[in-house]
Amino acid sequence: MSAEAARIRAVRMGEMSAVAEPMADGSTLVRSTQPLAPYKRSIVDALEEWAIRTPDAVMVADRDGDVWRKVTYAEALARIQPLAQALLDAGLSPERPLMIVSGNEIEHLLLGLAAIWVGIPYAPVSPAYSLVSTDFGKLRHIAGLLTPGMVYASDGEKFAKAIDAAVPPGTPILVRTNPPPGRPARSFGEIVKTSVTRAVVAAHAAITPDTVAKVLFTSGSTGMPKGVTTTNRMMTCNQEMIRTALAFVKDEPPVLLDWMPWNHVAGGSHNTGLTIYNGGTFYVDDGQPTPARFGLTLRNLRDVQPTFFTNVPKAYEFLVAAFDDHPDVRRNLFARLKLLQYAGASLSQHVFEGLDRAARQEVGERVMIITGYGSTETAPFAFTTTWPVEQAGHIGLPAAGMEVKLVPNGDKLELRLKGPNVTPGYWRDPERTAEAFDEDGFYRIGDAVRYADPTDLSKGFVFDGRVSEDFKLSTGTWVNFAAVRAAVVAACAPLIRDVVLTGLDRNFIGAMIFPDLEACARHAGLPLGSDPGTIVRHPAVQAKFGESLGALARKATGSSNHVARAVVMAQPPDIDRGEVTDKGSINQRAVRTHRADLVEALYAEQPGPDILSLPRNGEAS
């Protein structure tokens, strides 16, 4: 049975509709026609409501070895208020927020909610800035911008070097375990027992929808991270937008198993917010979509039957590969599942088909797969499909309560957004805030979209790349960066992680490929952990990339989509040089700048042995 012919498991989705209005300046205004339902003052008000309605329901659980630590809604509410008192006692305020440098765990979530409870902003910061970086440059930048009143690190010893490098002496340090050597620190276990005074009651009563709840830092793919001011309103109206589109979350409390870092808006606002706003249960997945850690996700899926599952495409690729050997994982994933969602990149066709095939084998029907679109500045939910995605990059229609402007920009439509979920600006950065909004108050997200069907607005929109990433060859021919990048990644999967494109003012497009070293080692029959140079230069690896890229080149219709040369790189992207963000996004410009020698090698008159030459049909190699 084909995927198209198979029945899709019934799930209650909302309606999405919009109207378009041409403007005098040549732009088009597109408005959602779905009304935005009333939303709560703050996410902690939803928590309090569920603590009264379903006090014994588990709100959050994380792993402690072989067992799950669990916290119910009533227990969460009881712990948040003493924590909030301790934060007030330590002098934290909107000017001296809470900074969290460690990853996802119960204590992290409770501290963040406690801060929101009394109007103290908190900033979850990427652990990579402490544990992967060696110069701590981004961490120092963030700490200087925040001026934190307290810093929390789950394991003080693990984060000691980073704290010493970036956090001023005298700043209170809070840990779950292992105080950092040479620095006084309090323990979470101590402050959760703080006696609550009327100060907590007064501070909680004073918060408003416009109170700053958190500061989320952008990934820094174009420079140092910016602090996105995130208000209570942004978080709660965004959850009502989600409810309007994904109506099934109102029917029964959702169950999520999720690894996405809470310093990112998807994990820390969308997914935790979806859980708390709807009285669901959030299981912290200690796995990751990497060969070394995905086994932990498989272990956790033996315990948890999610009703909503969202992940990056790489994780779905790992899942599809694991289903045959782990039928219990496949059974649990699809047992109660209402919806699969992906974000961050395109889902390869073989992964689409693998998920469909596994669902039909397990439950006799397909499970709907959707995607959406948004950013940290939009809290993040801004667009979604409420119908099955069949086209890569299909982002659907604007969320309820939103309006967007489509501005002609060269041969693209630049997207700009406005709505109650859009940030008021960047933390302590009025210059960048002013640059981020146009004269009509629309947020300039920097992306382009196109109509999925120019004759039918109801079909929604397709992501069309970054406005600033397209470039011209020396011939004056424009290169659609997003389309070429997606084609290279699809052609080379699963041996590729990402690609940097070259060609500005050059005669042809070149590709600098970051390989998936583990996948390449398996393809070549080499032991995992082999020398990266040995892996990428192995004849089988070079032959496979040459074959895949050669087939792509032969399908090219012209210089605008012909990748003529490529190099497979052994050295991974460097976070300290800004080549990669903590969530794995590649900074194209930084890679080209720091690896200028490789760029020149791609365009040498006589390319070296490491350069793959990829002629089109009828061309000499």
Side-chain angles (χ1 to χ4, degrees), residues 275-481:
T275 304
I276 295 170
Y277 205 78
N278 298 287
T281 301
F282 189 104
Y283 288 89
V284 177
D285 180 8
D286 54 348
Q288 289 179 351
T290 64
R293 297 193 61 84
F294 197 69
L296 298 175
T297 296
L298 299 178
R299 176 195 64 176
N300 294 333
L301 276 170
R302 294 187 181 97
D303 293 344
V304 179
Q305 294 182 339
T307 60
F308 178 86
F309 195 73
T310 180
N311 223 313
V312 296
K314 193 67 179 179
Y316 287 118
E317 185 179 315
F318 281 129
L319 268 175
V320 167
F323 281 147
D324 286 344
D325 292 333
H326 302 277
D328 51 343
V329 169
R330 187 182 71 187
R331 181 169 56 251
N332 263 14
L333 176 62
F334 290 109
R336 300 175 58 203
L337 193 63
K338 301 285 196 300
L339 195 72
L340 288 166
Q341 183 186 60
Y342 73 91
S346 296
L347 200 62
S348 299
Q349 190 61 36
H350 77 278
V351 178
F352 257 118
E353 293 170 357
L355 289 169
D356 272 336
R357 183 169 57 253
R360 295 198 312 272
Q361 289 171 345
E362 196 60 53
V363 295
E365 54 192 357
R366 300 171 66 195
V367 172
M368 188 184 297
I369 301 174
I370 68 165
T371 190
Y373 172 85
S375 70
T376 309
E377 289 86 348
T378 65
F381 191 84
F383 279 72
T384 194
T385 58
T386 52
W387 56 90
V389 172
E390 303 291 349
Q391 178 182 8
H394 197 155
I395 62 173
L397 286 165
M402 290 207 73
E403 56 182 351
V404 304
K405 188 195 292 187
L406 306 177
V407 181
N409 188 327
D411 61 350
K412 291 196 171 190
L413 290 175
E414 179 189 344
L415 176 66
R416 302 179 186 178
L417 306 98
K418 183 187 286 188
N421 58 318
V422 175
T423 181
Y426 297 109
W427 181 262
R428 296 174 177 169
D429 196 341
E431 184 176 341
R432 282 183 167 179
T433 297
E435 293 171 353
F437 294 89
D438 71 11
E439 65 280 3
D440 297 318
F442 282 82
Y443 167 57
R444 305 173 186 262
I445 198 167
D447 291 335
V449 296
R450 55 184 170 82
Y451 293 95
D453 180 344
T455 66
D456 187 355
L457 179 60
S458 71
K459 297 294 196 304
F461 294 91
V462 176
F463 177 73
D464 199 24
R466 298 284 293 173
V467 171
S468 61
E469 285 181 333
D470 290 357
F471 57 87
K472 278 185 179 180
L473 299 173
S474 60
T475 58
T477 301
W478 276 102
V479 174
N480 184 326
F481 169 87

Side-chain angles (χ1 to χ4, degrees), residues 20-309:
E21 174 187 351
M23 308 297 288
D25 63 359
S27 60
T28 301
L29 193 64
V30 179
R31 292 190 181 94
S32 168
T33 58
Q34 295 301 314
L36 178 60
Y39 46 86
K40 298 184 186 301
R41 176 186 63 157
S42 171
I43 194 71
V44 293
D45 290 351
L47 187 158
E48 185 175 24
E49 176 184 320
W50 289 107
I52 294 169
R53 290 174 58 183
T54 58
D56 298 326
V58 174
M59 184 184 86
V60 61
D62 66 12
R63 276 279 188 185
D64 182 11
D66 293 332
V67 300
W68 290 96
R69 299 191 302 156
K70 297 180 179 180
V71 174
T72 67
Y73 277 87
E75 290 168 340
L77 183 61
R79 294 180 194 179
I80 282 170
Q81 295 177 71
L83 293 170
Q85 181 71 59
L87 298 180
L88 293 175
D89 291 346
L92 274 70
S93 69
E95 296 304 312
R96 301 185 69 237
L98 171 67
M99 178 171 158
I100 297 177
V101 296
S102 51
N104 303 8
E105 65 174 0
I106 288 171
E107 289 77 9
H108 178 145
L109 183 61
L110 295 180
L111 277 168
L113 293 169
I116 293 174
W117 187 270
V118 288
I120 297 169
Y122 83 99
V125 177
S126 169
Y129 296 162
S130 297
L131 303 179
V132 177
S133 174
T134 56
D135 66 6
F136 307 116
K138 289 185 177 180
L139 188 66
R140 278 198 298 268
H141 166 76
I142 290 170
L145 191 61
L146 279 176
T147 60
M150 179 181 286
V151 174
Y152 173 74
S154 180
D155 184 325
E157 286 185 359
K158 193 175 178 182
F159 287 83
K161 287 184 179 179
I163 291 172
D164 285 343
V167 179
T171 304
I173 306 298
L174 181 67
V175 301
R176 179 183 168 199
T177 60
N178 302 325
R183 253 182 122 143
R186 299 183 70 187
S187 74
F188 182 93
E190 171 195 348
I191 72 164
V192 78
K193 299 174 184 175
T194 305
S195 297
V196 180
T197 72
R198 292 194 60 80
V200 168
V201 177
H204 180 62
I207 66 172
T208 72
D210 295 314
T211 299
V212 178
K214 60 169 78 172
V215 180
L216 287 170
F217 283 86
T218 62
S219 57
S221 59
T222 57
M224 279 295 178
K226 302 187 293 274
V228 178
T229 302
T230 304
T231 64
N232 283 322
R233 182 191 310 279
M234 290 169 62
M235 295 176 69
T236 55
C237 83
N238 212 232
Q239 290 303 322
E240 283 296 339
M241 291 174 173
I242 295 170
R243 278 182 159 193
T244 302
L246 313 183
F248 69 90
V249 300
K250 294 182 286 187
D251 299 337
E252 64 174 303
V255 176
L256 280 75
L257 172 70
D258 184 55
W259 69 273
M260 293 187 187
W262 291 344
N263 57 284
H264 294 156
V265 70
S269 291
H270 183 286
N271 297 347
T272 59
L274 179 73
T275 304
I276 295 170
Y277 205 78
N278 298 287
T281 301
F282 189 104
Y283 288 89
V284 177
D285 180 8
D286 54 348
Q288 289 179 351
T290 64
R293 297 193 61 84
F294 197 69
L296 298 175
T297 296
L298 299 178
R299 176 195 64 176
N300 294 333
L301 276 170
R302 294 187 181 97
D303 293 344
V304 179
Q305 294 182 339
T307 60
F308 178 86
F309 195 73

